[in-house]
Amino acid sequence: MNRDRMSRDSKKWAITGMGWVGGRGLGRARDSQSPGWASGGPAPFKLSQVISRTEGRSGRLDEFSKLGLASAALALTDAGLDRWTAKRPIGVIASSVYGCIGTDDAYFNTVLPDEGKLSSPNLFAYTLPNCFVGETALRYGLTGPTLVINPADTTNISPLVIGLETLASGEAQALLCGFCDLEPPATIAPLDRVETGSVFMLLEPPGREDITPLATLALDGAEVTNEGEKIDDFYAFIDHLIHTLERDAR
Amino acid sequence: MRKVVIVAVEAVTALGDLEATWEAITAGRTGIAEVTRFPTASYNSSYAALINELECGEDESYITPLLAHLSASFANNSIPEDARLFTASTKAGVDGLERAIRGGTKARPTTLFKGLLDQVRSTFGIKDRGVNVSAACASSTIAIANATRSIGNGFPDTALVVGADIITEFVFSGFSSLRALSPLPCHPFDTGRDGLTLGEAGVAILLMSEERAAREGLTPLATISGWGASNDATHVTAPARDGCGLIEASTNALKMAGLAPGEIGALCAHGTATVFNDAMELTAFAKIFNNVFGPTPPPLVGFKGATGHTMGAAGALEVALCVKALATGTLPPTVGLNDPDERAKGWATTASTPFDGPILTSNSGFGGVNGVLILEGPR
């Protein structure tokens, strides 16, 4: 990855890897043995199934962080960028409708007994939606912009638009872009049309010689296109892309 | 990329509206006081900067009166119909979740970020459905950066950024459990600093392209000439001791603004008053600026000794206060700073200090995030 390649075709980006954790399990685009993507709460899994370096705070991770970290890790593996020695200016932009509301609920249930004296610092440390993005950054040496977007609309297109705008302005050399959501706890009324599970894709300038892109995206004004077709809905685009890759693999 | 300007700004804090907050800080006054909203006997502090005027019903979130106060303060400004909406909040109306858990009921919609966005839209009369930016204590800094980038690209050419966070027992108990709260009102950059003091605020900033502002007949208050965002990639809750992420974000912001470090006139630090945050910032800024300015880089101010740490609203609130500083050419004193850390002596302000040039303002937070903005005065 270098700046020459970034400037050569600055309005187009290749998707060089995808990873997901959903109703059928853990998968990635270049692994033909992977289960396909389907929205839904994942069956229990261990992070050691996905990442080799599970030391440190892995045991403390909340379920939301574990989900997002696993799918981001699978996307990096799929793009051949999971191994590193020096930190890299790769960013992470994720969307989440519910964020870490389940962790919030669990944390506040530790506040209630004994008038707050038993409040859990371990749980509180994960009561921000962007904490899993930070976990991804520190485990993979990613120093680019990292944020979570909470959208109000149901197309969930914002992370893709903001992600490509970030790349276009040269603020990151590559970017993990995706979404992460778990079913909300009983205290929260579910919203319509929120896909649960997590999917991430690795976006970078085209031209890498060691990998064939899964697809190419373009930014035209504030519109994102794939093969000339406008992408109106991030969820639908992900479904379309993964099903196309599965069909082509057959 | 088109030039992006701030054309309107307002805030509500424990010290009042933006003008009252600025006047209080200039006079060295703090909005931090004993908390009466919920019991604090179990926690390691009883202090915060609460907006005492906020009143809400039993089934309401404090975020609702906060937005109402902010909207009333902002009422003299006309928000264009095509404005894009960015909110920045770490916990939205999390007191709704507290009530739901205590009462065994469902939480109010404002507990979720979508509910916050819907309430901001209806309170301010905005069409765009908007997005909330979650980047911990750098949320509104990064929201402003994203809004500026969109306007700079021309899609669209105006945006409203609203930063809002409230103090509830949820956040207060959490920072207490992490032993991050100062037992007394906080002391940024002080030798005796021992933790942060929480605050609450609502901030609204209207951004436009320079061309659109001219067409609308609006006078720019400041220009956002550069920004940078980075991740330390070091730790989820602690800052990188060497300031690597803040250095990277600041360097990127300077490059984008086309400025050398020597052209910066003042620094507005995150200044939480925790031992490690303030040390990290002094390390990072010394590395960036000391080579240019010698032993004393541009004057540095921290506002949290007056406003408390307003979490997701902090970056926007500090931008609002920087707009006032640019207008007057004066940095106010760092409220709460009595005995400066050895490295902050003669650097962090202890009295009103004149300056000339752009302000670099920064925020850092959980998840390793750093956000930096560079603001230039209208002149």
Side-chain angles (χ1 to χ4, degrees):
Chain A
M1 194 183 320
N2 60 51
R3 297 216 175 255
D4 286 346
R5 192 155 58 78
M6 287 175 70
S7 60
R8 201 168 58 216
D9 203 355
S10 63
K11 291 281 186 179
K12 286 189 176 177
W13 289 273
I15 301 174
T16 56
M18 282 184 78
W20 55 85
V21 181
R24 291 185 201 149
L26 289 72
R28 60 187 181 86
R30 296 179 197 280
D31 179 0
S32 59
Q33 304 301 310
S34 284
W37 158 251
S39 174
F45 67 95
K46 292 186 175 176
L47 271 178
S48 57
Q49 291 175 249
V50 183
I51 57 179
S52 55
R53 304 202 308 182
T54 56
E55 74 277 13
R57 299 171 63 92
S58 296
R60 296 180 177 186
L61 288 184
D62 65 320
E63 289 302 309
F64 178 68
S65 297
K66 201 172 138 189
L67 174 65
L69 172 60
S71 66
L74 286 162
L76 284 167
T77 301
D78 208 47
L81 294 175
D82 53 323
R83 297 183 182 195
W84 61 285
T85 51
K87 292 180 182 178
R88 308 161 284 180
I90 296 174
V92 190
I93 296 183
S95 73
S96 182
V97 175
Y98 296 120
C100 52
I101 194 77
T103 312
D104 293 354
D105 189 290
Y107 166 71
F108 200 68
N109 275 297
T110 71
V111 176
L112 291 180
D114 214 7
E115 297 174 326
K117 293 191 181 93
L118 302 176
S119 305
S120 166
N122 289 346
L123 278 172
F124 184 71
Y126 290 96
T127 58
L128 290 172
N130 67 305
C131 282
F132 86 85
V133 172
E135 288 282 354
T136 305
L138 77 90
R139 285 161 197 274
Y140 290 96
L142 313 181
T143 63
T146 50
L147 66 144
V148 169
I149 291 159
N150 315 110
D153 70 4
T154 55
T155 68
N156 204 8
I157 198 69
S158 310
L160 200 52
V161 174
I162 291 175
L164 292 185
E165 286 177 344
T166 301
L167 286 166
S169 63
E171 294 168 65
Q173 286 186 5
L175 194 88
L176 277 167
C177 183
F179 70 85
C180 181
D181 262 305
L182 284 169
E183 292 291 343
T187 42
I188 299 294
L191 300 173
D192 290 336
R193 211 181 169 276
V194 180
E195 295 207 0
T196 54
S198 180
V199 179
F200 272 92
M201 55 181 67
L202 194 286
L203 305 169
E204 56 183 315
R208 249 177 83 181
E209 291 174 358
D210 62 334
I211 201 162
T212 305
L214 302 170
T216 302
L217 300 179
L219 183 65
D220 182 10
E223 288 186 358
V224 181
T225 60
N226 167 237
E227 306 292 338
E229 295 284 322
K230 182 184 173 191
I231 301 172
D232 288 317
D233 186 311
F234 195 29
Y235 295 136
F237 172 64
I238 286 168
D239 284 343
H240 164 75
L241 183 56
I242 293 175
H243 291 143
T244 301
L245 292 168
E246 284 174 347
R247 186 195 62 207
D248 292 350
R250 287 197 294 270
Chain B
M1 190 170 275
R2 300 184 309 173
K3 201 170 179 180
V4 179
V5 296
I6 296 172
V7 293
V9 60
E10 193 45 83
V12 288
T13 77
L15 291 162
D17 63 10
L18 179 59
E19 189 63 36
T21 300
W22 174 254
E23 283 179 10
I25 294 172
T26 301
R29 293 202 308 273
T30 182
I32 297 170
E34 290 223 37
V35 173
T36 53
R37 187 174 293 170
F38 48 82
T40 58
S42 299
Y43 308 125
N44 67 340
S45 176
S46 58
Y47 287 92
L50 289 166
I51 303 170
N52 290 324
E53 292 77 19
L54 298 188
E55 289 179 5
C56 71
E58 280 187 14
D59 190 35
E60 201 177 40
S61 166
Y62 277 95
I63 204 81
T64 299
L66 175 67
L67 292 173
H69 273 254
L70 180 62
S71 173
S73 295
F74 204 73
N76 290 335
N77 301 291
S78 171
I79 301 169
E81 280 197 353
D82 58 337
R84 200 164 159 184
L85 173 64
F86 291 81
T87 64
S89 179
T90 59
K91 296 311 303 172
V94 72
D95 49 347
L97 180 67
E98 296 175 19
R99 286 199 182 90
I101 292 172
R102 287 185 201 277
T105 58
K106 293 283 185 196
R108 290 191 60 77
T110 49
T111 304
L112 294 175
F113 295 109
K114 181 185 180 300
L116 172 71
L117 282 159
D118 289 346
Q119 186 145 51
V120 171
R121 285 176 63 222
S122 64
T123 306
F124 284 82
I126 296 176
K127 285 187 176 173
D128 183 39
R129 301 200 70 182
V131 292
N132 182 70
V133 173
S134 283
C137 301
S139 293
S140 50
T141 319
I142 290 176
I144 291 169
N146 278 286
T148 304
R149 186 196 306 112
S150 295
I151 296 168
N153 290 335
F155 307 102
D157 58 6
T158 181
L160 181 74
V161 179
V162 174
D165 259 321
I166 51 171
I167 295 178
T168 73
E169 190 164 3
F170 183 103
V171 293
F172 200 88
S173 63
F175 279 100
S176 177
S177 74
L178 292 173
R179 301 280 162 205
L181 296 181
S182 172
L184 296 171
C186 66
H187 301 285
F189 301 108
D190 197 283
T191 52
R193 68 183 185 273
D194 55 2
L196 59 86
T197 301
L198 290 168
E200 60 190 1
V203 188
I205 297 177
L206 185 60
L207 303 168
M208 277 183 190
S209 67
E210 190 178 40
E211 295 86 348
R212 175 72 178 267
R215 281 205 309 276
E216 302 264 351
L218 296 169
T219 305
L221 304 173
T223 300
I224 300 174
S225 56
W227 67 88
S230 69
N231 196 290
D232 292 342
T234 301
H235 197 275
V236 170
T237 55
R241 299 278 181 102
D242 63 0
C244 58
L246 180 54
I247 292 170
E248 184 170 339
S250 300
T251 305
N252 290 344
L254 285 164
K255 188 176 172 188
M256 186 181 287
L259 294 170
E263 294 175 274
I264 291 295
L267 301 170
C268 174
H270 191 43
T272 61
T274 65
V275 171
F276 293 117
N277 174 81
D278 291 9
M280 178 278 286
E281 288 191 277
L282 292 173
T283 298
F285 288 140
K287 280 184 185 167
I288 298 165
F289 294 101
N290 265 7
N291 289 340
V292 181
F293 291 92
T296 309
L300 173 152
V301 69
F303 289 116
K304 293 183 177 67
T307 63
H309 187 342
T310 58
M311 302 169 282
L317 177 57
E318 284 149 16
V319 164
L321 293 166
C322 286
V323 166
K324 301 296 284 183
L326 285 164
T328 58
T330 306
L331 279 193
T334 298
V335 176
L337 174 55
N338 303 318
D339 180 15
D341 180 292
E342 191 60 37
R343 292 191 295 163
K345 276 182 185 160
W347 184 9
T349 58
T350 52
S352 289
T353 306
F355 73 97
D356 188 19
I359 300 180
L360 183 148
T361 180
S362 76
N363 297 92
S364 303
F366 279 17
V369 296
N370 301 279
V372 169
L373 298 167
I374 296 178
L375 307 172
E376 298 193 49
R379 286 165 291 178

